[in-house]
Structures are given as structure tokens and as C-alpha cells.
Amino acid sequence: MRAVIFNGALENGGVIQDLYEIVIEELQQKNCMRKGFILRDMSIGPCRGCFACWVKTPGICALDDAGRETAQAFAQSDLAVFITPVTFGGYSSELKKAVDRLIPNISPFFMFKDGEIHHRPRYRKKQKLVVIGVLSGDDAQSVETFTTLVRRNAINMHSPYSAALVFQEGDSMENARKNLREVFTRGGYRSE
Amino acid sequence: MNELKHALLLVGSPRGVKSTSESLGAYLLEQMKKKGVETSTVRLHHVVEPSYMRKELLDAVEKADLIVLSSPLYVDSLPSAVIKALELIAADKKVRGYYKKHKFMALVNCGFPEARQNDTALHICQRFAIETGMEWAGGMGLGMGPAIDGRPLERVGGMVRNVRKALDLTALALTEGKAVPGEAVELFGKRFVPGWLYLVFGNYGWKRMAKKNGVRGRLNDKPYEVPGT
């Protein structure tokens, strides 16, 4: 099993870094091949919305930067874990810059899915998706928006399983580890 | 009484002036301008990077009474550069204090036929308004955005009559200090053509573009596939 981890923290250290290390440890214990990306340290330009990755160089972004590396690692993984500060109910700009650049991994062609139109998958391999959000304060509306966003992403990315985990700054890291293990177990995560 | 003095349009598309986001936002601002509102436009992808350009964004926001964000939908949310801009504005509001009560509204358009696919992005816009102490004036989602293809709405014809009507109603309401009317939200989200037809034409369009680029037979390439998976 291969896993990719996108760390969308805006700054060094803090709860997100702690959670990132927990995720790495948990995957390490299961002998899972893993690739982690600290996105703020990477030069990933914003998606230009040019569609070149669909109709000029199918499957590869026109921007030749680290966004290609993250998209490739994602496409070749079985499990994707995103970690981010909950930002207005969504992802941070650092996480989003990498997520926007995953567009080459889907096909331009449309299909009907659950009564809506979506893009078809490009690859047979699909990624289970676990998204961890860190929220400063108690805000039910942000949690709801975040959870919906993860569910919607799973539809568009054709993920066979998805989970959103929201922690508050100050939550116990041991509880976080326990919740993460439960989510991995529910997702059919297995040791190798 | 005209309660609105200055409206600022933030364009969230990297395609800037050639984008559907610009078409929608510019039409709305034009209607407000006709009612005596002063307007200005900032294209976010030009001011978020390099960092020395950010002051232009923050000063424009501070000057405005109403901020209109017009953005495409990227992966169920706003594009990263738009989120970056919102993060910058939020940080700036913290520094400056929340003395000025701006109004904030959003137009989000997507390439799918269903306008409701924009809902999560609109909720994110609403959360931004709340967290920065702004007054949320409402949001509207539009499907089939590529059918407009960045053309001025006046030149698109009857296909967008509901969109124009929705923006006319919105301009009137906002100018009078009211929120986006429910009727406008409904009109804005109406499909131009049935979903199945959009799917057929959309898929044909991708093939046509690929053919033009000489990659018609490569549309389903899998450059990152690991053999055996």
C-alpha cells in the first residue's frame, strides 16, 4: 500500500506538524510506503485554468514545477491524507495549491454520477481520502462546511472511501491518534 | 436612498479579463455604476503574488463598502490564489481592527450544469465574511460557466437572459443596501440547456480542442500509471 500525505500548514510547528508526524508514525508502523509533502516549502504555482493538462499534454500540467510531483505521487497512491488548518470552513491556500493541481489526474470527459455530472477518472487506481482539519475554536458551521467539502472532493476524485476528521487546537494528541486509527480501520486500511 | 458608495469587484479567475468570472462581475458592477455607485476591480491572481502587490488588494478592500467576489469553482472550492487573498484580507482586518462594516457577496461559476455544485464554495465565502466581521450579503451559483466563455453578457444573447435579470435584481437590491434577493439566486442558477445536451456538447468540445492540438488520440493517456495497477 502506498500513501501520500499533503501537509497544508501555513507556518512551521504547531498542531498540524504534530498531526503530520502522527500520520507518518501510524503509516510507518504498518510498513506502508509513504511520501509526505510540506507544501509551504514547495514551489507549486496556482492552477492557471488553461486546460492544457486535458487537451494539450493529457495527464500532465503545463506548469513544470513541484505540482507535477505531488500530482504524480497522488495518482500512484492508494491512500491520500490531507492535513490543513480549517480555513473559512475549507482548506488552507497551501493545501489548495496542490489540490487544484490534481486536475490532470481526472479526465476532461463528463459522466453522470449520483444524479450529477462529473468528470470521469483518468486512472483505474482510486485513492481513499482522509482529510484532517485543525480548527481554532468551536464552530459547528465550519465543521459542517469542511465535512461537506471532503465528501464532495471524494465524489469528484472517485474515492472509494473518505473521512473528515476535525480537531480543535488544544485537543489531546493521543485522542487524535486514536481517532485516526479508527478512521484508517473503517477505511479498510491494512498492514503489509 | 443610495446607501452604497463604493463597490469593489475581486476577480478570482486566473484568466482575468477573458474569464466568465470577469463577465459576470463586470456586468453586475456596470448595473451598479448606472445607479451612481463608484466601482473598481482587482484581479486576484495579479496581486497575491508577488507579495509587494498585496498592498493594492488590501487598500482596495479597505476603501470599499461592498466587496463582490466573482470566482470559478476549483475542486469544489475557491482557487488557491483566491483563498490566499482571503487569508491576507482576514489577517489585515485583524491588524486594522473591524471598524468598517463592509458587505461581502459572492458569485461562483462552475463547468458542471448543476449550480448547486457551487454551494460549498459559497459557504466558504459566507464563513469568510463572518470571520472577518463583514456583513454577508448573499451568494449566487451558476452552472455551465464555460458556455459564456468570458464574453461580455450583453454579447452572449438570449441564452443568458436569466443571468442578466438575476444580476439586474441583485444590483438594485445591493444599491439599496439589501441582500441578494432569493429570486435572483434562483434565476442565476437556471440551466442554459438540459444536462444531457451539455454533456454531449461538452465531450465533443474536448475532442475538438484536442484534435486542434494534435492529441485527439491521447486524451485518455495515463502518464503516471504504475504498470500492473
Side-chain angles (χ1 to χ4, degrees):
Chain A
M1 178 157 178
R2 292 178 186 218
V4 65
I5 307 113
F6 286 178
N7 178 337
L10 297 177
E11 49 200 34
N12 285 321
V15 182
I16 300 215
Q17 186 60 29
D18 294 344
L19 287 166
Y20 177 72
E21 281 161 18
I22 287 174
V23 170
I24 298 277
E25 281 166 23
E26 289 297 312
L27 295 172
Q28 204 166 9
Q29 278 182 13
K30 310 280 187 197
N31 294 322
C32 178
M33 286 168 68
R34 65 215 166 269
K35 217 165 189 179
F37 295 98
I38 312 283
L39 299 169
R40 72 176 175 282
D41 294 340
M42 299 177 74
S43 174
I44 299 177
C47 171
R48 298 193 301 204
C50 64
F51 300 134
C53 62
W54 285 346
V55 296
K56 275 189 183 169
T57 51
I60 299 177
C61 181
L63 285 176
D64 188 5
D65 65 12
R68 286 187 180 176
E69 193 190 334
T70 47
Q72 179 171 10
F74 185 96
Q76 295 175 346
S77 69
D78 304 283
L79 167 71
V81 183
F82 298 164
I83 315 173
T84 178
V86 177
T87 306
F88 317 122
Y91 303 161
S92 70
S93 58
E94 291 295 338
L95 174 58
K96 195 64 188 351
K97 72 183 184 186
V99 171
D100 286 350
R101 296 283 300 278
L102 296 177
I103 288 298
N105 291 350
I106 57 166
S107 160
F109 292 119
F110 293 121
M111 63 181 283
F112 277 104
K113 189 178 181 186
D114 302 329
E116 289 179 342
I117 287 182
H118 295 279
H119 290 285
R120 290 182 208 162
R122 180 176 294 277
Y123 297 98
R124 275 189 299 270
K125 186 188 262 295
K126 312 288 185 308
Q127 293 71 32
K128 292 177 180 174
L129 180 65
V130 174
V131 187
I132 303 168
V134 176
L135 188 63
S136 51
D138 185 8
D139 175 2
Q141 202 187 0
S142 279
V143 174
E144 195 184 326
T145 302
F146 188 81
T147 307
T148 306
L149 175 60
V150 175
R151 200 176 60 240
R152 299 293 307 175
N153 277 181
I155 294 170
N156 278 311
M157 294 173 182
H158 302 276
S159 303
Y161 169 79
S162 72
L165 276 171
V166 180
F167 300 110
Q168 283 179 26
E169 280 174 7
D171 277 357
S172 134
M173 283 299 112
E174 275 320 298
N175 269 344
R177 187 187 294 274
K178 202 176 134 200
N179 290 345
L180 191 65
R181 278 181 187 162
E182 280 172 17
V183 159
F184 282 165
T185 305
R186 277 204 304 273
Y189 176 90
R190 63 184 193 284
S191 305
E192 288 188 348
Chain B
M1 186 188 146
N2 189 350
E3 296 185 12
L4 178 63
K5 288 191 179 102
H6 190 107
L8 168 68
L9 171 64
L10 302 179
V11 178
S13 170
R15 297 174 67 198
V17 288
K18 293 179 186 166
S19 68
T20 296
S21 301
E22 175 106 9
S23 307
L24 298 169
Y27 182 88
L28 177 65
L29 249 66
E30 190 55 36
Q31 306 320 303
M32 288 196 262
K33 207 172 177 179
K34 286 177 188 167
K35 297 176 200 312
V37 177
E38 191 188 326
T39 65
S40 56
T41 299
V42 171
R43 291 169 193 94
L44 294 176
H45 281 256
H46 300 168
V47 295
V48 168
E49 298 295 345
S51 54
Y52 65 80
M53 292 292 287
R54 293 173 184 171
K55 193 174 179 307
E56 186 185 321
L57 165 69
L58 302 175
D59 288 346
V61 165
E62 205 47 36
K63 194 180 160 196
D65 304 302
L66 168 72
I67 299 153
V68 177
L69 171 67
S70 185
S71 174
L73 184 77
Y74 275 23
V75 200
D76 304 297
S77 176
L78 302 166
S80 63
V82 177
I83 298 173
K84 180 77 187 171
L86 299 186
E87 287 168 352
L88 291 169
I89 295 167
D92 188 59
K93 291 298 284 178
K94 260 187 197 165
V95 174
R96 291 187 200 234
Y98 302 99
Y99 308 117
K100 186 164 181 178
K101 190 79 178 171
H102 308 271
K103 285 191 177 187
F104 185 77
M105 69 96 43
L107 307 169
V108 181
N109 72 88
C110 69
F112 301 116
E114 303 89 6
R116 67 170 180 275
Q117 295 212 36
N118 298 302
D119 286 356
T120 311
L122 289 168
H123 282 133
I124 287 170
C125 293
Q126 184 178 14
R127 286 304 313 159
F128 163 76
I130 292 167
E131 289 182 29
T132 51
M134 296 188 192
E135 184 182 331
W136 175 239
M140 304 204 288
L142 178 125
M144 304 186 178
I148 295 174
D149 196 27
R151 291 172 291 171
L153 291 190
E154 297 87 343
R155 298 220 310 253
V156 182
M159 182 182 79
V160 293
R161 64 186 179 282
N162 285 323
V163 177
R164 285 196 300 265
K165 196 174 171 192
L167 293 171
D168 290 344
L169 289 169
T170 302
L172 181 64
L174 292 172
T175 309
E176 291 175 348
K178 296 175 189 162
V180 176
E183 188 188 350
V185 176
E186 205 176 305
L187 283 168
F188 198 70
K190 279 196 173 179
R191 294 179 186 194
F192 306 149
V193 293
W196 66 266
L197 190 61
Y198 185 80
L199 183 144
V200 170
F201 275 104
N203 285 348
Y204 170 71
W206 297 123
K207 286 176 188 167
R208 205 180 54 170
M209 279 190 261
K211 192 177 173 187
K212 221 167 110 182
N213 295 322
V215 294
R216 168 69 185 83
R218 293 183 40 214
L219 274 168
N220 295 313
D221 275 9
K222 297 170 178 56
Y224 300 144
E225 189 163 65
V226 178
T229 57

